Every structure is written in C-alpha cells, then in structure tokens.
Amino acid sequence: MKRDEGVQLASAIDCPQGTFIAVQRLSKTFAARDGSPTLAVDNAELNIGTGEFISLVGPSGCGKSTLLNVIAGLIQPSSGEVRIDGRAVTKPYTNIGIVFQSDLLLDWRTVLGNVLVQFEMRGRDPRPHKERARALLGSVGLADFASKYPWELSGGMRQRVAICRALIHDPPLLVMDEPFGALDAFTREQLQVDLQRIWQDSRKTVLFVTHSIDEAVFLSDRVVVMTPRPGKIREVLRIDLPRPRRLDVRDNEHFVASVRHINHLFQDMGVIRG
C-alpha cells in the first residue's frame, strides 16, 4: 500500500528513550470448547520505551486485549516472552495500574474508599495515602466527590475514579483497555485531554487499547496497527505533534494524514469496505 504523504512510519522495536517493555516473538493460542485452536496473536515484536505512550488499534477480535493481558502477566503466552525492565514476566506483574472499559467500582464504598482499595488489595494500610488520594481526585475535578458513592456519579466521573485508583500506588506502567469506549463523545474528549495531562505530569509508560483511530493519534507517541485475527503488527506510526495537544490539533496536517493512513490500512486489510 502506498504511504500517505505526511505520515511518519516508525520501528516496532527501536526506542530512542530506552526499552522498558520488550515483546519478543510472542504468540498466543486459545483452545475452543471443541478443542480446536484459535491463534489470537501471531509472532508479535514490540518494544516500548520508558515513559512512552503507545496505542494499539485494530478490529474487534484482532488480539489487542490479549496482547495487553500477556504484557501485564494476566495470561501466559504460547510462545515468545515479555520482559519488563529487563525481567521476564512469568506471573501477574504487580507494579502496574490497570483501567478497563468497565470502571469496576465497588458500589458500597465511597469514591475515596474505591481509590484506596488498591492498598488493601496489596495488604497495605491505606490510611497514610489518603492525602495523595484526595490530591489525585482533585487533579481530575473530583475533589468535592470523595465522600460520594459510585451510583451518585456519571459514567465519566466513575472512569476518572478508576484512573485515580490505578495511579494511587504510583506504578511506572499504566495499561488501559478501551477505557473510554462506553462514554459519550463529549465526555470521551474531555477524558482524553485529562489523561494526556496526567501522563505529562507523571511520565508513566502507557499502553492504551482503543478502537478509535482519532483517539489513538491524539494521545500517542506511536500507534501500533494490528491486522485482523490472527493479530500481527502491520505497521507502526510515529505521531510527531507537539504537546500538550489541544482538541483542535485534529486540524493539523500530520494528524489528518495519520488518521487517513490508518483508515487506508484497514481498507487494504478488508476491515473497512466500501
């Protein structure tokens, strides 16, 4: 496929800022109920640099979430390996924050209690961390909601709480699986801006799964485009746009070219037809 003018292709394995996560020849096969194998991820190679924001985009069922879960150590690969900070991941990686599409808040706990539950799950006393939790909530506009319960919040507010819960123990790695997929367009755009600000303040390494091409280009340093199942890395784009990015960056020629190029890739793969 001809490359769209203005697009910057990147390597999947070269990280100028130093490799924090190394995915090496990774494949994952699942067994169906009838015993037949389903190859979800096929021979993936990807390095993610320290403090880098990486998005995975691809059609439903292409293995994006599978790759994320293998990197987090929640499932084991069939072949290949993942190394984080030089160490092989052979079990759930604990120095991590995870945000899913569902906020998974506990309805019987307050907002503050939901953020602090991270420490209780780790067998640690949450009381010394209350002020940090309140500061995190304030950073996402929820300072006045610490004593509220999840059922008193909007969907966007609940997801902000989930992000605070993922960050409260200050992990170096944040993985996010379609965290804004269930939100309305206006709330989704605001949370994109909020997440970018949080990331710029903390410079954590972020691995972000999304179906939204615009969202991936807006947030990322690099966008990894995956093929339909079995999921392979088809191409990697570098998003060389200044930060902080405002919503009007979508009018930028490089932004438009990157979105158009990814759309063309999906058309070429038969994911988008007509």
Side-chain angles (χ1 to χ4, degrees):
M1 191 195 87
K2 182 181 178 181
R3 188 173 75 184
D4 291 88
E5 186 176 352
V7 169
Q8 297 184 22
L9 300 186
S11 169
I13 59 174
D14 292 333
C15 296
Q17 60 270 65
T19 298
F20 180 59
I21 302 173
V23 178
Q24 301 171 339
R25 300 178 300 280
L26 188 143
S27 296
K28 177 61 182 179
T29 300
F30 293 99
R33 283 189 299 175
D34 62 3
S36 60
T38 298
L39 181 59
V41 178
D42 185 15
N43 199 35
E45 296 260 354
L46 177 66
N47 288 345
I48 300 174
T50 303
E52 191 173 19
F53 198 120
I54 294 285
S55 287
L56 302 177
V57 296
S60 294
C62 75
K64 301 185 299 297
S65 295
T66 297
L67 181 54
L68 181 147
N69 286 327
V70 173
I71 289 173
L74 300 178
I75 59 177
Q76 292 300 304
S78 301
S79 61
E81 70 170 359
V82 174
R83 303 186 76 85
I84 298 181
D85 204 17
R87 293 182 288 274
V89 177
T90 59
K91 58 184 179 180
Y93 187 73
T94 57
N95 202 8
I96 191 173
I98 303 178
V99 183
F100 298 104
Q101 181 171 344
S102 174
D103 55 70
L104 302 177
L105 299 184
L106 304 175
D107 282 338
W108 59 90
R109 297 188 67 135
T110 64
V111 164
L112 183 64
N114 267 283
V115 175
L116 292 171
V117 76
Q118 180 80 250
F119 293 105
E120 295 177 41
M121 293 171 63
R122 295 167 182 270
R124 296 167 59 184
D125 184 358
R127 288 174 295 182
H129 306 281
K130 282 187 176 182
E131 288 310 307
R132 172 170 166 76
R134 292 184 185 278
L136 272 174
L137 290 169
S139 74
V140 296
L142 295 178
D144 296 332
F145 292 85
S147 62
K148 300 293 185 182
Y149 288 86
W151 46 269
E152 298 178 277
L153 307 180
S154 68
M157 294 164 75
R158 291 175 64 109
Q159 203 62 319
R160 286 186 176 94
V161 177
I163 293 171
C164 291
R165 181 183 58 200
L167 294 172
I168 184 64
H169 59 301
D170 198 24
L173 174 60
L174 179 64
V175 298
M176 310 183 80
D177 192 357
E178 282 283 343
F180 308 147
L183 303 176
D184 66 85
F186 298 112
T187 302
R188 186 168 187 156
E189 288 191 343
Q190 183 59 59
L191 280 176
Q192 290 167 10
V193 173
D194 291 344
L195 176 60
Q196 176 189 219
R197 175 178 45 76
I198 291 169
W199 171 77
Q200 286 195 276
D201 289 344
S202 66
R203 287 297 175 177
K204 298 186 183 304
T205 304
V206 178
L207 181 58
F208 188 91
V209 168
T210 180
H211 283 100
S212 169
I213 298 170
D214 276 35
E215 183 170 76
V217 174
F218 178 79
L219 288 169
S220 305
D221 295 317
R222 287 186 295 161
V223 176
V224 178
V225 181
M226 296 186 67
T227 68
R229 192 174 60 231
K232 298 181 180 181
I233 295 176
R234 168 69 182 265
E235 206 165 272
V236 181
L237 280 69
R238 183 169 302 284
I239 311 301
D240 190 16
L241 291 167
R243 296 185 186 271
R245 295 172 188 165
R246 295 159 51 96
L247 292 175
D248 60 9
V249 77
R250 290 178 169 85
D251 299 325
N252 180 283
E253 290 182 4
H254 177 56
F255 187 99
V256 173
S258 299
V259 171
R260 181 173 61 239
H261 183 77
I262 296 172
N263 270 304
H264 287 169
L265 281 174
F266 288 138
Q267 290 174 25
D268 190 54
M269 291 186 284
V271 176
I272 302 174
R273 296 182 293 276

